[in-house]
Amino acid sequence: MTSNYRLRLPGPTTVPERIRLATAAPMQAHRGAEFKAMLAEVQEGLRAVYGTAQDVYLFAGSGTAMMEASLANVLAPGDAVLVAIAGQFGERFAAIAAALGAEVDTVDGDWGQGIDARELAGRIARRDYRAVVVVHNESSTGVTEDLAAIGAALRERPTLLLVDSVSGLAGTEMKMDVWGADIVVSASQKCLMCPPGLGFAAVSAKAWELVKREGTVPRFFYDFRRARAALEKGETAFTPPVSLVYGLREALRMIAEEGLVNVVARHRRLSSALREGCGKLGLEPYNRPAVASSTVVALKVPRGLEGTKIVAHLRSRYGTVIAGSRSPRLHNKVIRIGTMGAVSEADIQTDLAHLEATLKDLIT
Ligand code: PLP
């Protein structure tokens, strides 16, 4: 890619050279001793970023595949689920649950505000749900949900907590076991700094009671029972994207070298710096400050401007690639910048310089 291409999306994110080179290593046997050793190392690294003692299963697939897998492994036809919706990915999770034949109830939060954990707790008390389904970090609105509070509301109940942390994991705090999340899914192309194509799922002991039974909606490739049986032998069930696993191992080493706590703090610091700088340019955050994400900065498009034009101008004039909104509800009203993965102070300064220049160009 030419040097005037700055990838500043909320995923896929920049793949650091160390990881790119790692993915170029020679192919090896996916059931050989070397791959088994790599899988064991990757397990250890993923457990740390997940905050879990459980295994983390690797699949070929994107984040959406893993959202579907989380539901398909626990739902029986006609089960009721409660989906928390405060953005586009919450809507997607509800659509997947409906496609799999679940009875879908929703708890709707203000977009930009997030889900009210108390309202959610009230809803859980009124109906027996197989699962409550939550997007940890809603990339469409730049909001992080309070998973600790949501997990606490479910603790004494049989209902499972299914979590999409596609854009949160490894960039924002995740304490799967402490918070009582039952299935947490993610993907390689966001905070984990890898190319797209690898998906992850960690499964609690409580969820396993449901995963292991017969009679769920159809599943085969993404059947967690197969993944677990394979992992017990140090393998994946089917041929994995081996080169991406090389990359993931390198990414997890980089996170361990920086220190997970420092990585999370860097995401928080840089997202705050970007939001603050944007405020000075007249670009206000779309979301409430208390719930602002560390990994995605979502900004309101100022009156008189269009999001698509800002995105196009930043790309064509300054080489900076950010996102608009893919949700019809936010189209042209919101622009989004990733502050996830391999992001530095210098990136934020350049973002701000390019945004300032773009606003000047478009307004004058
Ligand atoms: N969930 C969230 C929060 C996301 O940000 C995304 C992608 O942007 C997805 C799910 C879907 O992931 P994928 O595009 O890898 O299917």
Side-chain angles (χ1 to χ4, degrees):
M1 193 56 68
T2 56
S3 59
N4 73 339
Y5 189 97
R6 298 182 64 245
L7 184 64
R8 302 291 299 112
L9 293 177
T13 61
T14 296
V15 180
E17 189 175 26
R18 250 178 90 173
I19 297 175
R20 280 193 291 119
L21 292 176
T23 62
M27 191 47 52
Q28 57 179 226
H30 68 294
R31 304 200 189 282
E34 297 82 0
F35 190 80
K36 286 184 183 180
M38 176 161 65
L39 208 51
E41 181 180 339
V42 161
Q43 276 298 306
E44 203 179 309
L46 283 173
R47 280 197 201 105
V49 295
Y50 262 86
T52 187
Q54 304 296 332
D55 293 332
V56 184
Y57 305 112
L58 268 58
F59 293 93
S62 78
T64 307
M66 303 317 300
M67 293 160 83
E68 178 168 343
S70 70
L71 285 162
N73 274 278
V74 297
L75 283 187
D79 274 354
V81 294
L82 181 64
V83 184
I85 302 183
Q88 183 197 346
F89 292 102
E91 288 183 334
R92 182 177 300 178
F93 232 157
I96 296 170
L100 294 179
E103 271 191 37
V104 179
D105 286 351
T106 64
V107 52
D108 297 282
D110 269 2
W111 289 33
Q113 177 93 14
I115 300 300
D116 180 343
R118 272 170 312 183
E119 187 189 342
L120 189 99
R123 295 289 300 281
I124 296 163
R126 293 210 289 276
R127 188 171 181 190
D128 282 335
Y129 291 107
R130 176 69 74 201
V132 167
V133 179
V134 178
V135 177
H136 179 205
N137 188 76
E138 180 50 79
S139 318
S140 64
T141 59
V143 167
T144 303
E145 300 296 351
D146 184 354
L147 278 188
I150 296 171
L154 282 168
R155 186 141 302 132
E156 305 301 328
R157 299 184 166 272
T159 304
L160 301 177
L161 175 57
L162 308 189
V163 176
D164 160 354
S165 193
V166 171
S167 65
L169 188 83
T172 198
E173 193 175 46
M174 168 57 72
K175 294 187 170 170
M176 176 176 170
D177 292 356
V178 173
W179 293 343
D182 292 298
I183 302 182
V184 179
V185 299
S186 195
S188 52
Q189 78 274 21
K190 307 254 181 190
C191 308
L192 283 163
M193 306 176 283
C194 287
L198 253 185
F200 315 111
V203 184
S204 74
K206 180 175 161 188
W208 265 112
E209 293 306 312
L210 288 165
V211 171
K212 69 187 186 196
R213 81 206 150 120
E214 301 298 326
T216 63
V217 299
R219 53 185 163 154
F220 188 91
F221 183 81
Y222 292 107
D223 188 334
F224 294 162
R225 296 171 302 181
R226 270 195 192 82
R228 173 144 103 169
L231 196 60
E232 276 163 12
K233 295 186 281 171
E235 297 177 4
T236 53
F238 309 107
T239 312
V242 174
S243 305
L244 293 180
V245 184
Y246 294 149
L248 177 64
R249 173 174 58 179
E250 201 60 30
L252 291 165
R253 284 178 180 171
M254 286 170 69
I255 289 171
E257 283 165 22
E258 185 177 348
L260 183 58
V261 172
N262 300 328
V263 170
V264 168
R266 172 170 55 80
H267 281 74
R268 195 176 306 121
R269 190 175 68 249
L270 295 180
S271 56
S272 300
L274 182 57
R275 269 190 298 272
E276 202 176 302
C278 284
K280 292 188 182 136
L281 300 176
L283 292 168
E284 295 301 326
Y286 177 72
N287 38 58
R288 200 161 57 89
V291 294
S293 163
S294 291
T295 64
V296 184
V297 170
L299 302 160
K300 282 186 206 157
V301 172
R303 212 179 283 275
L305 290 176
E306 285 173 41
T308 45
K309 292 210 171 121
I310 297 175
V311 171
H313 192 83
L314 270 169
R315 167 70 188 104
S316 62
R317 186 74 181 268
Y318 299 103
T320 287
V321 179
I322 70 162
S325 175
R326 292 176 51 79
S327 157
R329 185 157 155 182
L330 302 178
H331 181 66
N332 264 334
K333 298 192 188 114
V334 165
I335 55 172
R336 298 172 305 134
I337 305 175
T339 49
M340 58 176 89
V343 179
S344 68
E345 264 89 10
D347 293 316
I348 303 300
Q349 280 160 9
T350 310
D351 292 342
L352 289 169
H354 289 181
L355 279 167
E356 182 172 15
T358 294
L359 292 177
K360 269 200 192 118
D361 296 343
L362 293 181
I363 289 167
T364 50

